[in-house]
Amino acid sequence: MNDIGILWLIFIIVTLFISYYFSKKNFFARRLLYTTFLVVNFIYLLWRTSFTLPESGVLSLVLGALLLIAEWAGFSQSIVFTILSWSPFKRKEAVITAFEELPRVDIFIATYNEPTDLLRRTITACQLLEYPQNKLNIYVCDDGDRGEVRALSSHLGVHYIRRDDNTHAKAGNLNHAMTKTNGEIIVTMDADMVPKYNFLTRTIGYFTDSDVSFVQTPQVFYNADAFQYNLFYEDRITNEQDFFMRQLEQGKDRFNATMYVGSNALFRRTSLEAIGGFATGVITEDMATGMLLQTNNQKTVFVNETLAVGLSPETYADLLKQRDRWARGNIQVARKWNPLRLKGLSFMQKLLYLDGIHYWFFGIYKLIYLLAPLLFLVFSIYSIDTDLETLVIFWLPAFLSSQFAFRRIASSKRTTFWSHVYEVALAPFMAASVLGELILKKNFNFSVTRKGVQSQNRQILWRTTFPYVLLTIFSLIAIAMVNLHLFTSIEFYQSNDMLIINIFWIFYNLLAILVSLVISVERPRFRGAERSNVEISGYLISEFGTKYKCNIVDLSESGARIELVDTISEGQLDGGSLYLEIKEIPKLKVTKQWISQQANHNYMGVSFQALSQAQYAALISILFTHSKDIYSNQTYVNASLFYVFLRFLKHSRKTPKQLERQRMREKVKLKGKLSTSKNEMPVTLLDYSLNGCQIKSKKKLRKNQRVELEVNYHTKEKVKARVMWVQKRGGTYYVGLKYIHDTIELGA
């Protein structure tokens, strides 16, 4: 390595370390870091373009060109990231008191096939909003035309809207609701999104500016996403969507380019009417609608606060379906409303929307990165032709600057290697989605992401694992060939420099590929409702009025885990009714599910019975509308890949406590009858507990279906239940049912 090259490396590395160290608090140092990052990456790409394209054959030249294009594409996205992060931006608060008279607000809760207990949670939270009730109307917009949703709406005293068809899916549903309502402000809320009590008071003040067309708040998720959950990393990494929802959306707000994300948003009705309502003809109607509402100097606002929380896709399979929909939808928007040709957008708005569409090509770029070292090591097809010394001079500063700059841009909400993991995990499927949409232009059915998923067993997504298994096999073949080349007389490679370069990338990629394999192993989900850790004191009350002091440790709307403070034997809790009393909620009737001793403390699991709506609303207030914001400060903590594999192996071998408790079931073999909304069928009851049972049937049932079970044992009283899982063995269906303990009478 020549002296100039050494001095260049020393200068850049020292500059990067100094600017990164001071950039957290010093504005000038941060800009110096970002500038250095862009300059050294631009220099690296100029060198790559001018001197490194292989000339050893047509295949090598094509692959080299594709790799170079992928690198330039990544750099273009880096420029946009840097622009969004160049100047910190936060909206000045707009107070609701600026209105002389508050506007009428219509809340649209769009639903198609979501479980009614999920809808009940959202509706109840909307009823707890701080806003004059005579100015607020809640509409359940049911595109599934379900009797149980109509009954739920009637019971809770909110409006119910249905239509005769499902034209244009969610966008058509919302547009139809607009024709039935007249509020000045329209709020769109997904069926799983639960607003905080101050959702309206913190957002509606921005509409005092007559040019504001919509206000967006971030989608924040209270459950672990598929990456967090399947990797047993709930406490170490953030939700994969947090970086976009909090960092990028805030940066876009500076350029009046906030993206509408489908929920948690408020619209001026007249602005929507001016563009013909919510955009139709594309899957991602939200992105298109927001873009159209930003034309002709209309203003949009992003309020970067946790003002609503909801459910992210609960399985990896559902996450892939969601991202497939987003990828194809963005291509459709570009085809119908190309940002470059859309009149009324500023230069920065066009750039940011174009970058958002371009982002979904990452799957193609990442596959090129994954295949390039494999093709060299296995088939001797070059993608780059240089020597190691020159590569280090140009590539190492670019690589290090990317690590430092991204870490500062992401503010510990993301790391470069975890971004690599996410992209590798999604790459094969997103590449197929984008290429399929570009080439086939096929009309796909709109699919709603499943909510409230429960499963009893660990599942390997074999179809999903196929590309990762294939990549792993080729990586192992490549490593074997490298070992033969290095430690035997067999020679596969002419250039040792190129060998070292590709060995680095093969191991770098293989780590992410192996993590993707782990993600494809779905953990069981036993609970229908997420539990929240709480610290609430209360009393457990026996049927005879005896009070036992206790602490509620975790809580959901269906049950709780409590610590028994007073000395008590399990026998004292058997027989008769039990009640739980806490300050915020009147006496709750509960059923004991289990009791255990852990480290000299007695713990008990209880399920709630026959909740009144007042009790249910109080629970929702504690859990959601008035709960602390524990989501905004989550960061990547000790999130090394070593611990990914260690925790996966360690926890996968354990029997979860939830499963141990659910196994406390009585085995039986009783004949019975199951009733659905359409027919009746004979079934056999195989086991039961206080929460649910398992049956077998010759006829198929679907998940989340409501049923009534009648068993020929002591009494023929019908029990309401919901189908949680279905497994087919031969010609027989085995079905898991969860009993519905509810005060609301709903249709099957």
Side-chain angles (χ1 to χ4, degrees), residues 532-721:
S532 298
N533 295 324
V534 294
E535 295 179 2
I536 303 174
S537 299
Y539 292 94
L540 190 64
I541 307 171
S542 71
E543 185 178 26
F544 306 104
T546 308
K547 287 189 174 184
Y548 304 98
K549 192 173 181 181
C550 66
N551 296 318
I552 290 82
V553 179
D554 66 40
L555 184 69
S556 76
E557 62 259 45
S558 60
R561 180 164 67 100
I562 63 178
E563 178 191 8
L564 298 169
V565 178
D566 289 342
T567 303
I568 185 172
S569 66
E570 186 170 356
Q572 291 174 273
L573 301 175
D574 289 336
S577 301
L578 289 174
Y579 299 89
L580 185 63
E581 186 177 86
I582 57 180
K583 184 178 179 181
E584 295 86 348
I585 311 177
K587 190 184 292 184
L588 287 166
K589 186 176 181 180
V590 301
T591 298
K592 182 187 73 174
Q593 298 299 324
W594 54 268
I595 190 167
S596 66
Q597 189 176 50
Q598 302 170 28
N600 298 322
H601 294 275
N602 289 318
Y603 292 92
M604 179 175 168
V606 298
S607 60
F608 302 140
Q609 306 297 317
L611 288 173
S612 69
Q613 180 58 23
Q615 290 174 324
Y616 180 81
L619 282 171
I620 296 303
S621 179
I622 294 172
L623 292 167
F624 296 103
T625 63
H626 286 79
S627 63
K628 294 180 180 178
D629 179 12
I630 61 173
Y631 314 101
S632 296
N633 296 322
Q634 288 182 319
T635 57
Y636 286 73
V637 180
N638 298 323
S640 72
L641 290 193
F642 171 76
Y643 283 111
V644 165
F645 301 113
L646 188 66
R647 293 184 77 158
F648 177 77
L649 293 173
K650 178 181 177 181
H651 293 289
S652 292
R653 292 163 56 188
K654 288 184 176 180
T655 301
K657 288 185 170 60
Q658 302 102 309
L659 183 57
E660 290 177 352
R661 293 162 191 162
Q662 289 198 3
R663 283 176 176 167
M664 294 189 288
R665 293 188 168 214
E666 292 290 334
K667 300 291 183 181
V668 294
K669 194 172 184 180
L670 300 171
K671 298 296 181 182
K673 182 172 64 177
L674 197 73
S675 303
T676 69
S677 58
K678 295 182 179 179
N679 52 39
E680 294 182 348
M681 64 189 76
V683 297
T684 302
L685 182 70
L686 300 178
D687 63 41
Y688 71 92
S689 71
L690 292 170
N691 277 337
C693 63
Q694 182 184 178
I695 63 169
K696 68 176 182 178
S697 168
K698 291 295 183 182
K699 292 187 178 181
K700 186 179 179 180
L701 294 164
R702 67 177 188 276
K703 287 184 181 180
N704 292 322
Q705 187 174 4
R706 293 230 175 198
V707 297
E708 287 187 345
L709 177 65
E710 181 181 322
V711 180
N712 299 325
Y713 180 69
H714 292 316
T715 176
K716 289 191 176 182
E717 181 181 356
K718 290 184 178 180
V719 177
K720 295 181 187 297

Side-chain angles (χ1 to χ4, degrees), residues 235-433:
D235 56 339
R236 298 199 176 197
I237 61 177
T238 70
N239 187 288
E240 184 258 346
Q241 278 293 292
D242 278 359
F243 180 61
F244 170 79
M245 291 292 177
R246 308 307 289 259
Q247 304 291 117
L248 298 186
E249 279 281 71
Q250 181 163 298
K252 291 180 179 184
D253 191 31
R254 179 159 64 100
F255 300 101
N256 195 35
T258 296
M259 186 180 290
Y260 169 42
V261 294
S263 185
N264 311 355
L266 304 87
F267 297 86
R268 191 185 301 277
R269 178 183 287 270
T270 53
S271 297
L272 276 174
E273 290 173 341
I275 63 167
F278 293 89
T280 59
V282 294
I283 300 175
T284 50
E285 81 294 327
D286 44 7
M287 175 209 173
T289 301
M291 183 170 64
L292 294 172
L293 284 171
Q294 287 164 345
T295 57
N296 301 320
N297 297 314
Q298 294 184 87
K299 297 178 183 176
T300 56
V301 174
F302 179 67
V303 181
N304 197 2
E305 298 178 28
T306 301
L307 295 175
V309 294
L311 283 169
S312 63
E314 296 169 278
T315 69
Y316 189 48
D318 287 327
L319 183 143
L320 290 175
K321 288 179 183 177
Q322 181 194 69
R323 302 307 157 83
D324 168 73
R325 190 169 69 240
W326 291 355
R328 290 187 289 106
N330 272 261
I331 303 300
Q332 291 174 3
V333 170
R335 190 179 294 130
K336 190 170 183 177
W337 294 286
N338 188 328
L340 293 178
R341 295 199 297 265
L342 190 61
K343 294 181 179 179
L345 292 179
S346 69
F347 170 78
M348 280 305 302
Q349 286 174 322
K350 290 181 178 182
L351 175 65
L352 292 175
Y353 274 108
L354 196 64
D355 176 74
I357 295 166
H358 176 222
Y359 163 79
W360 290 102
F361 287 76
F362 79 85
I364 299 172
Y365 302 145
K366 187 58 69 173
L367 280 183
I368 294 172
Y369 284 122
L370 293 173
L371 293 174
L374 288 174
L375 290 173
F376 174 80
L377 293 174
V378 178
F379 301 105
S380 295
I381 301 174
Y382 284 68
S383 57
I384 179 174
D385 191 5
T386 185
D387 61 89
L388 183 61
E389 180 180 313
T390 308
L391 180 72
V392 169
I393 291 173
F394 287 98
W395 171 80
L396 186 60
F399 181 76
L400 290 177
S401 68
S402 299
Q403 305 295 311
F404 286 132
F406 190 80
R407 184 177 287 271
R408 186 58 66 225
I409 287 172
S411 303
S412 299
K413 291 292 184 183
R414 183 75 69 90
T415 66
T416 49
F417 195 79
W418 275 101
S419 290
H420 177 56
V421 168
Y422 295 143
E423 290 181 357
V424 168
L426 298 173
F429 311 100
M430 297 305 99
S433 299

Side-chain angles (χ1 to χ4, degrees), residues 107-207:
I107 299 179
F108 292 172
I109 303 173
T111 179
Y112 176 64
N113 61 359
E114 293 83 1
T116 50
D117 53 354
L118 208 66
L119 274 170
R120 185 186 183 192
R121 182 189 306 161
T122 299
I123 296 168
T124 301
C126 289
Q127 291 176 318
L128 295 173
L129 288 170
E130 281 189 348
Y131 204 74
Q133 293 302 300
N134 64 330
K135 295 279 188 178
L136 181 66
N137 282 292
I138 301 167
Y139 296 88
V140 177
C141 308
D142 181 22
D143 237 12
D145 191 15
R146 292 169 291 165
E148 62 266 32
V149 176
R150 183 190 294 271
L152 175 67
S153 303
S154 175
H155 178 86
L156 297 180
V158 298
H159 305 283
Y160 176 83
I161 300 176
R162 58 166 292 275
R163 57 181 179 145
D164 296 329
D165 57 41
N166 302 114
T167 306
H168 298 309
K170 181 181 175 182
N173 190 10
L174 296 173
N175 285 334
H176 178 257
M178 285 182 65
T179 66
K180 306 292 182 181
T181 59
N182 57 15
E184 299 157 84
I185 303 297
I186 293 172
V187 177
T188 59
M189 197 67 66
D190 280 349
D192 63 291
M193 280 289 167
V194 185
K196 298 281 188 178
Y197 74 97
N198 60 341
F199 177 84
L200 290 176
T201 55
R202 282 293 298 114
T203 54
I204 212 161
Y206 292 100
F207 287 100

